[in-house]
Structure formats: structure tokens, C-alpha cells
Amino acid sequence: MKITNTLTGRKEEFVPLQPGVVRMYVCGPTVYDLIHVGNARPAVVFDVFRRYLEYRGYRVIMVQNFTDIDDKIINKANQLGVDPKTVADTFIAEYWRDAHALGIRPANFHPRTTDFVGDIVEIIERLVEKGFAYQTETGVYFDVRKFEKYGELSKKRIDDLIAGARVEVDETKKFPLDFSLWKKAKPGEPCWKSPWSEGRPGWHIECTVMSVKILGESFDIHAGGEDLIFPHHENEKAQAEALTGKTFARYWMHNGMVRFLGDKMSKSTGNIFTVREALKKYGRDALRYMILSKHYRSPMDFSEELLSNYSKAVKRVWEVLRRYENTGEVGIPKRNSVYEEYVNKFIEALDDDFNTPVAVSILFELVKGLSRAMDNNDREGALLYYHLIRREFGPVLGLFDLNEEKKEVANEELIKILIDVREMLRKEKKYDLSDEIRERLKKIGINLKDTPRGTEYTVE
Ligand SMILES: [Zn+2]
């Protein structure tokens, strides 16, 4: 399998450190708002990449963090008049709701920065001892000029960086590119004890510490959006390699940006389209299909019109699948040469720098094949195509996945059971309990409505 490694700038054969096991870290969201389609892209891309590694027989240990302390979170908390932890807890819960609806499987570990402050302090102390960090009155900084390989990942020279980059202004720093490891707390901000001052960790050090603590000093893949290459990933790498003297992540994978209304989709520019709205209007398969139709390294244009077109294509697929399901045919096809040929094509596409557009096109070719086979009364062919779509490739891409659908059916059944129980309680005039059921369901976005036909529900 070949992947493009940002570190070397080349497409390289992927060989994990430990045979059969892949250790992988993906930078997760800063939790102060709902996620948007720009955030959905790395989530879907690396979810499918992980599924594919598993399909190829690897055991994957995946970590995705939550940045749960940050200026943005503190600002939001001040705006709302609540504490930052409430903001973080709220948007972690909202993240799960969207991630689940988008069919993103949870990683093996989802560490939160605030759970790692003790480890972060210890590692900053070691960096200070080794001479890679220094203290000023505003906090502790990484001494960029002490780390020779600074700029290796982003392919930038220090001189050019000073000229072009947005750097933190702080007159106590020795050098403009030095970045904070520990920030002295301002009055009223959440803070933790440290040997320097009460304060909180900088953004870059948290990912270094959580990845090294969970995956080890060297691990296989570090992934994220290409806007993180500099300074975030460059700084993560500098800290880790200064600390251990070893290669930090061996392969770096970066996805391209999502463009919307002529600009990068981002919260800071305000041009966002939330995942929640996208899912509500167009559904999971449409959004995943749109994301996977683009090679992960290319920029991706987003518009509602485009997403609506993908959703129409998805509906046509469902019509073909339902038509087959209505025939009542169930079975497992033989792994004949046609089967093998499709599997080989699928693997060939994804082994080539994770070319999901080709993999998705194979899926759509199979849908055409299924439709044709049904027209021609070719039962064996139809079974083969159906099986490849829904049981072989669908679960890898998270598209038209039979397992996902089973979960939804089970959820519907559970809601119906609750509605029945509520009805029984009402007949016994136990209104406090029946109201409790209605309120609890409402909290998770399921609204009950009593009609003359009985109780109906809508999902937000
Ligand atoms: Zn990170």
C-alpha cells in the first residue's frame, strides 16, 4: 500500500513499525461549536482509511483528541456566562451526535487535554531541562532555533517563516517563531498548578503528549487537515523529537481543504455549513459520497447544489437496492473470478494513495450491474453485485452499509417500545412517568406528537 507522506513529499510504500499493527493519531476538534462540513472531511476520510486498513487485515490503534481548553472555548464560555468545562462537555456531546449520524466509528482513544495536564507539565519540565524550552514572565516557550530540523515537515526555512507567517506576538520571547508550551493564566481563566505559574498548556504540546503517552515515542501515522501542517504539526514534531531524539510520526497524511463561497470553510471566516444541517437535508450517504468522490489530498468545493446532486444519485442507488431486497433473495455468492476481479480492482485503487474516487466509482459500477442483472433475470449475478455493494465494499466506505442500517432499524424499534410504554403509563394516569419519557426523548432530539392516529415521532 502506498500513501503520500507529507514529511518526504513522496508517495511511499506503507510499512508499519510493528507488523500487522497500525498506530495512528488524528487531530480532533476544539470543542466550542457544532462541527461543519470542513470538519467532516478529515473525520470521514480517516474513518474510511482506518476501515480500509482493517479490511486489509491490520489491527488499528487510533487516537483522536478533543481540545477542551483553548481561547475559543474560554471566549464562548464568557459570552454565555458559563464555565469553560460546560462549553467543552456540551460540544463533545454534540460532536458525538453528529459523528454518529455521519457514520464515523469512534477511535480507540479519545483523550481530552484537561485529563493530561499532569503529563504535559512533566514533559515541559523535561524540555526545559534539556535546554529546548525557557521561561519568561508570560509562560514557557519552545526555543525553535535549538531544534535543528525545524521546518522539515512544512518544508519551510526559518527566515521565510519569520517574514510570512502569523506568529504570536510576545516581547518576552527570545525569537519570533518560539511558541508557547505553557501560558500563564490571566485573571478569571481556568488554570492548573505548575513549577512556573498557574496556567494552562499551549495547543501544540497537548497533541505531542497525548500521542506519545498513548501510542509511544514513535508511531506510524499522524493525520489531519493540511492547514495544520504549519505551525501545529511542525511544532508537535519539534517538541516530540527534541524530547525523545527519535522520529515522532513516520508518515504524515493531510487532507485538502473544503472551499465554500469562494473561501476555505472555517469558523473564523464565518462561511460554514454545519454537518447537522447537511445530514438533516441530504442524509449521511450523500455527504460521505461527496467527500469520498474527491481524492483526499485535493481541495474540495462544497455547495448545497452539489450536495443535493449527490443526494439524488444516492436515492437512485437506494431504489436499485430496495428493488433487489423486495425480491426476497438472500444468500452468499460464490467467490468466483468476477468477485475476485472486483476485489482486486477495489484494493488496487485504495492501495494507490487511498484513491477513494476510484473505489466509489467501482461501487456505482456494481449498482449498474445489479440493475442490469435484475432486468435480465440473472439471479446469480444480482446476488453477487448486491453482496459486493452492501457486505464487501459498502462497510469499508461506510456507504450503503448493511450493518449501519440494522442499527437504525433497531433504534426505530426501541422508540416504538418507549411510545407503547408511555401509552400504558398514561392509561394508568401515571402522567409524571409518561412526561418523563417524552422529556428524555426530547433531550436527545426525538419529539413525540400525540395525534388522532396515535403517537408519532420526529427526529431532529
Ligand atoms: Zn493536533
Side-chain angles (χ1 to χ4, degrees):
M1 180 191 315
K2 287 199 164 81
I3 50 177
T4 296
N5 187 354
T6 309
L7 185 61
T8 58
R10 283 193 305 265
K11 214 193 259 189
E12 289 175 8
E13 188 64 35
F14 174 67
V15 185
L17 266 178
Q18 183 187 341
V21 182
V22 179
R23 290 179 171 79
M24 175 172 172
Y25 187 90
V26 185
C27 287
T30 301
V31 278
Y32 70 106
D33 215 328
L34 295 181
I35 57 167
H36 54 73
V37 174
N39 309 125
R41 190 175 190 195
V44 169
V45 161
F46 298 113
D47 171 61
V48 175
F49 184 66
R50 173 219 210 172
R51 291 169 186 242
Y52 181 62
L53 288 168
E54 289 175 352
Y55 179 71
R56 299 286 274 129
Y58 291 106
R59 185 159 74 83
V60 182
I61 304 169
M62 184 173 177
V63 181
Q64 189 198 51
N65 69 300
F66 284 116
T67 296
D68 66 345
I69 186 70
D70 179 86
D71 285 338
K72 290 170 187 156
I73 297 171
I74 295 171
N75 291 343
K76 183 93 173 197
N78 291 340
Q79 266 171 36
L80 300 174
V82 295
D83 61 301
K85 189 176 181 306
T86 306
V87 172
D89 288 347
T90 302
F91 288 102
I92 286 174
E94 298 294 344
Y95 171 86
W96 282 122
R97 190 169 150 197
D98 288 336
H100 178 73
L102 191 53
I104 307 290
R105 280 172 44 200
N108 302 76
F109 299 91
H110 284 279
R112 292 174 63 147
T113 310
T114 55
D115 288 331
F116 278 77
V117 176
D119 296 290
I120 292 172
V121 167
E122 193 192 305
I123 284 182
I124 298 173
E125 277 187 292
R126 280 166 59 196
L127 285 169
V128 173
E129 272 164 36
K130 289 184 129 196
F132 285 105
Y134 60 89
Q135 185 187 357
T136 77
E137 3 14 304
T138 58
V140 181
Y141 293 88
F142 189 84
D143 195 338
V144 161
R145 286 174 299 177
K146 289 271 167 65
F147 183 69
E148 269 180 28
K149 289 196 279 182
Y150 196 77
E152 185 184 40
L153 179 69
S154 53
K155 315 279 181 290
K156 288 179 195 283
R157 289 176 44 235
I158 286 186
D159 298 343
D160 301 340
L161 285 172
I162 299 171
R166 210 165 35 119
V167 290
E168 294 171 52
V169 183
D170 183 306
E171 58 281 8
T172 70
K173 291 194 295 190
K174 289 187 193 167
F175 185 63
L177 287 183
D178 292 353
F179 54 89
S180 56
L181 299 171
W182 188 259
K183 295 180 178 180
K184 188 177 176 178
K186 295 185 194 117
E189 278 184 1
C191 58
W192 288 262
K193 282 194 172 38
S194 83
W196 313 287
S197 61
E198 293 210 329
R200 61 188 161 95
W203 175 34
H204 317 299
I205 191 72
E206 57 179 77
C207 282
T208 300
V209 171
M210 290 188 274
S211 56
V212 164
K213 285 279 166 186
I214 299 171
L215 296 174
E217 293 180 344
S218 280
F219 57 91
D220 298 304
I221 298 171
H222 195 311
E226 69 178 13
D227 55 340
L228 296 180
I229 299 175
F230 187 84
H232 186 51
H233 288 166
E234 189 71 61
N235 292 353
E236 274 189 47
K237 175 179 175 295
Q239 297 161 144
E241 295 184 354
L243 181 78
T244 67
K246 295 177 189 159
T247 301
F248 175 49
R250 300 165 59 247
Y251 300 85
W252 291 81
M253 287 175 82
H254 291 105
N255 66 274
M257 293 297 96
V258 175
R259 293 186 299 217
F260 181 47
L261 306 175
D263 206 353
K264 174 184 140 186
M265 187 182 290
S266 84
K267 189 70 193 143
S268 55
T269 52
N271 62 334
I272 56 162
F273 198 88
T274 62
V275 166
R276 192 154 299 175
E277 194 179 349
L279 290 175
K280 194 174 174 182
K281 286 189 172 164
Y282 304 101
R284 173 180 56 221
D285 284 319
L287 189 52
R288 290 184 74 103
Y289 173 31
M290 184 178 78
I291 291 170
L292 296 173
S293 292
K294 267 275 167 212
H295 189 267
Y296 75 98
R297 298 177 63 239
S298 310
M300 181 184 123
D301 287 307
F302 172 82
S303 70
E304 236 189 301
E305 199 189 340
L306 268 173
L307 184 55
S308 156
N309 290 340
Y310 282 103
S311 116
K312 283 174 200 146
V314 159
K315 274 197 195 110
R316 288 194 291 272
V317 173
W318 278 116
E319 278 163 21
V320 177
L321 294 172
R322 295 298 181 231
R323 186 178 147 210
Y324 181 77
E325 281 159 7
N326 287 338
T327 64
E329 296 266 350
V330 181
I332 299 172
K334 288 190 195 77
R335 262 189 101 113
N336 59 16
S337 60
V338 180
Y339 195 118
E340 292 301 334
E341 205 180 296
Y342 275 109
V343 168
N344 290 340
K345 270 166 63 177
F346 187 76
I347 289 177
E348 199 185 314
L350 293 176
D351 267 5
D352 181 18
D353 198 18
F354 194 49
N355 197 334
T356 57
V358 174
V360 167
S361 71
I362 294 169
L363 200 71
F364 278 78
E365 196 183 306
L366 288 165
V367 174
K368 271 191 212 146
L370 172 61
S371 179
R372 206 171 39 233
M374 284 189 288
D375 291 343
N376 296 340
N377 239 331
D378 170 11
R379 287 168 65 183
E380 207 182 317
L383 174 65
L384 175 77
Y385 293 129
Y386 179 82
H387 181 88
L388 282 169
I389 297 162
R390 300 212 74 187
R391 298 200 191 96
E392 184 82 30
F393 303 149
V396 179
L397 300 170
L399 283 175
F400 315 117
D401 178 351
L402 198 57
N403 291 328
E404 280 297 326
E405 201 178 331
K406 256 191 286 180
K407 273 187 241 159
E408 269 162 29
V409 171
N411 283 344
E412 273 172 36
E413 295 302 318
L414 283 173
I415 296 168
K416 283 182 196 145
I417 291 170
L418 284 169
I419 289 174
D420 289 346
V421 173
R422 177 171 168 267
E423 198 46 47
M424 291 175 212
L425 290 167
R426 288 194 336 156
K427 276 188 188 138
E428 292 179 23
K429 299 200 170 13
K430 291 179 177 164
Y431 296 115
D432 47 341
L433 288 175
S434 66
D435 288 347
E436 170 94 12
I437 291 177
R438 175 209 286 274
E439 287 311 309
R440 295 281 289 270
L441 285 171
K442 196 173 172 195
K443 274 189 190 152
I444 58 166
I446 298 163
N447 294 312
L448 302 189
K449 196 174 158 201
D450 297 314
T451 74
R453 299 175 297 278
T455 304
E456 290 171 357
Y457 74 93
T458 53
V459 181
E460 269 175 28

